[in-house]
Each structure stands twice: as C-alpha cells, then as structure tokens.
C-alpha cells in the first residue's frame, strides 16, 4: 500500500480537509444541535438568521457556519477581522446585493474573530444585516458582552460553543486515520496509547488535534519510525500545550471567581485546584497574593486574626504542601475544565441569560457560614487532596472539616438527595 495522502505536502492543512460535510458528521455541541435544540432545528429548516458563535478555538464555529450555508443554499463568504477591513466588507455586500437581485440567492458573511473590529467597524454591518442583504455569522473566542456593540448584539442571536470532550476528539483523530488509510494498515499508524496522547494534547480543540496528528505522521514518515507510533513518539513530536488561559479575558475572571467562592465556601479542594489552574496558566503570583489578602479581609476578617509572624514557632505539617502538589498535578491533567456555571461571575445581562451565577448560594447567608455546593469541575467531583494531621491547629481544622461533612450529610438526608444540586 502506498503512503496515505496524509503524509503528502498539501496546500490545505489536514484540519481543513477533514471538515464535516453534514450535520450528522459534526461532533460536539449537542446542546445546540441535538434533537429539538434551537440551532439544529433552524439549520435543518434553512431558516438561520444573523448570529454570533462564541466559543473556544477548535470547537467547530467555522465548520458549522459553512454547514449553515450548505443547508440554506446560500453563498458562503469567509472574512477575517484580523487580516481584512471594512473595504472588503463593502465589496462582499455589493456582490451580495447583486446575487440577491439577479439570482435570488442569499449570502452568509462569516466574520472570523469579529471581536477584533472596533465599534465603528462593527456598526458597518448594521444596515445590511437589518435589510437582509447579508446573514452575518460572527465567530469569537471573547465574551460578546464585552467585545461587541449593543446594536450588533441586538440583531444577532448568540450561541455558546463548548470545548469538545475527549470522546469527540478521539473520534475525530480516528476518523482522520481511517479516511487517510492509516488505520487500514495491518498495524495502523498510531498506537491506541498514541491516540490518547493526542487527545490529551488537544485540550478539547479539534484543530489542535488534527494539526498535531499531521505533525506526528510527517515525523513518523520522515524518520522512518516503525508503525504503530508509540505514545513516546507522539509526545516527542508535539510541543507541550499551554493551559487555555487568558490573563485579561473572561477566563481570568471565571477562574478568580471560582477561587474566591471556593475559599468562601470552605471547600479545600476547589480552592487548591483553581489556584493551581491560575498559576499553571501564568497568572501573576502578586495578583493572587493581593486577592487572597482581600479574601482574608472580606470573608474571614477578625474571625481568625493571626498573622504570618508566628510561623516559625508554629507546629509543623506538610499536608497543605502535599495537597497543593496534587492539585497542581490535577491542573496539569485537566487544564481546560470549565468553571461550573453557578460559581462564575455575571457582570452583564447576556451572561445572566446564559446562566452564569445561577443557583450560587452565598455561604454567609447560611448557619455557620456554610452551605454544601460543588466547587470543582465535574471530572474532579469527590476528589480530596487535603487530609489534616493531628498536630497543632490542623487537629482543629480536621474537626471543622468533619463538622462540615456532617452538615452536608444532614442536608442531603433532609432533601432526600445523594448529592445536593446547585
């Protein structure tokens, strides 16, 4: 069997060649495209209006916009706010007017990275969206509440995309191997362990997964490494992925909100995990130190007034150090887990409508300033890293944590639920 086309140098990257052609092939975003879900029904009816696709890289925003054009028989005109300007927008709109007039065919103007446009540039879309000359689909990785103008948002529906889960990414990688002939070989091109390494590397990003696969197989081919490529070969061919974190964007505010609420809620594991996630993402330690001082003043106050100067004479234990090391490992193993909606901050109306902060219970509003609720992402629920020792003040902490455990069990018995929902 000759080498598969994946190894050949193509002008088009593998990620582009592997774009799904139908909704049935599209993986992920079941909350938008599943049975009876709004966006899926609109696409199948060919009745999609102007909208904003908001979500992380590689979650399928561009691919779905192309599918919308296919299902609605409209012309698809891609446009990048990074490399093109308003002059190109006017050119596309002029062509769209002529197409609608002489062919009766609509046009989808897909604007990638729409948040890169300033307010005046965004306003340039308004009259053409209003009169139906174009259907605007804007894609953004940034929170539309902060980055897009109110007039533009009022004319567009916002659909929120989630990162792909591991099974989605696994299927995408295997599909790419099958369609290029790699898995048809006797031994296959990549071992199951190598595929799992690619899944971990992708961090929920289909484009990253396929670009990584392409790099791996080109490395295997050029180096004449025997098939199947082992996990070690795959890892060696990939650069270490950085955690998905934006120190100035919404991710920053989501994570610091999660950290603050976990500390306020007396949840040790949640506090350790979100602190580790921010440090792993490159957050300034001084910012975190200042925030912890604020938490000490805002949520602890004089309930525990002791300062750092007593540390030299205090009883010693390394349990917190050990627990934080385990939390750092968890942050490295799960670097993109979303902050649960109920502990996100919701400074805008759009974020409130999307459920940010919904169901959060303010700990100080309950007896003992404690109410059981979840502070960790779903994949880490039930994890316990910190086990206090019997020395010094940790003995008191152990008693306090046991008290909270009993409160949680009592509430679960009273509500008749095995796990309290938030």
């Amino acid at each position: 069997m000759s080498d598969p086309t994946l190894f050949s140098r193509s002008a088009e990257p593998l990620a582009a060649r592997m774009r799904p052609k139908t909704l049935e092939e599209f993986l992920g975003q079941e909350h938008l495209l599943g049975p009876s879900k709004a966006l899926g029904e609109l696409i199948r009816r060919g009745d999609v209006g102007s909208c904003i696709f908001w979500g992380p890289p590689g979650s399928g925003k561009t691919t779905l916009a192309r599918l919308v054009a296919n299902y609605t028989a409209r012309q698809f005109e891609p446009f990048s706010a990074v490399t093109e300007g308003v002059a190109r927008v006017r050119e596309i709109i002029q062509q769209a007017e002529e197409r609608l007039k002489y062919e009766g065919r609509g046009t989808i103007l897909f604007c990638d990275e729409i948040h890169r446009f300033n307010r005046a540039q965004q306003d340039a879309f308004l009259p053409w969206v209003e009169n139906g000359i174009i259907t605007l689909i804007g894609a953004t990785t940034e929170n539309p509440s902060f980055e897009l103008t109110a007039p533009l948002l009022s004319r567009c529906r916002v659909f929120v995309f989630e990162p792909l889960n591991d099974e989605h990414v696994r299927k995408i990688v295997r599909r790419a191997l099958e369609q290029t002939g790699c898995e048809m070989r006797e031994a296959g091109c990549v071992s199951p362990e190598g595929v799992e390494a690619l899944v971990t590397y992708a961090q929920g990003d289909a484009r990253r997964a396929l670009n990584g696969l392409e790099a791996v197989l080109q490395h295997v081919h050029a180096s004449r490494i025997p098939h199947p490529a082992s996990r070690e070969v795959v890892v060696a061919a990939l650069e270490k992925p950085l955690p998905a974190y934006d120190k100035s964007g919404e991710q920053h505010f989501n994570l610091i909100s999660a950290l603050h609420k976990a500390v306020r809620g007396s949840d040790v594991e949640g506090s350790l995990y979100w602190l580790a996630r921010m440090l792993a993402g490159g957050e300034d330690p001084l910012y975190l130190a200042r925030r912890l001082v604020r938490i000490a003043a805002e949520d602890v106050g004089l309930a525990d007034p002791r300062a750092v100067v007593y540390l030299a004479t205090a009883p010693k234990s390394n349990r917190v150090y050990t627990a934080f090391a385990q939390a750092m490992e968890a942050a490295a193993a799960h670097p993109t887990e979303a902050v649960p909606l109920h502990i996100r901050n919701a400074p805008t109306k759009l974020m409130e409508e999307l459920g940010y902060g919904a169901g959060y219970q303010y700990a100080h509003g309950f007896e003992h300033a404690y109410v059981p609720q979840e502070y960790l992402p779903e994949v880490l629920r039930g994890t316990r890293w910190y086990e206090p020792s019997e020395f010094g003040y940790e003995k008191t902490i152990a008693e306090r944590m046991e008290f909270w455990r009993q409160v949680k069990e009592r509430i679960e018995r009273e509500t008749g639920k095995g796990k309290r929902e938030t």
Side-chain angles (χ1 to χ4, degrees), residues 93 131 263 293 298 346 365 414:
I93 289 171
N131 63 22
V263 173
V293 169
E298 181 177 328
E414 291 173 353

Side-chain angles (χ1 to χ4, degrees), residues 264 299 360-371 373:
R264 177 188 294 151
D299 291 294
Y360 172 65
Q361 299 177 88
Y362 186 60
H364 292 295
F366 293 83
E367 187 180 10
H368 308 297
Y370 175 77
V371 58
Q373 58 187 328

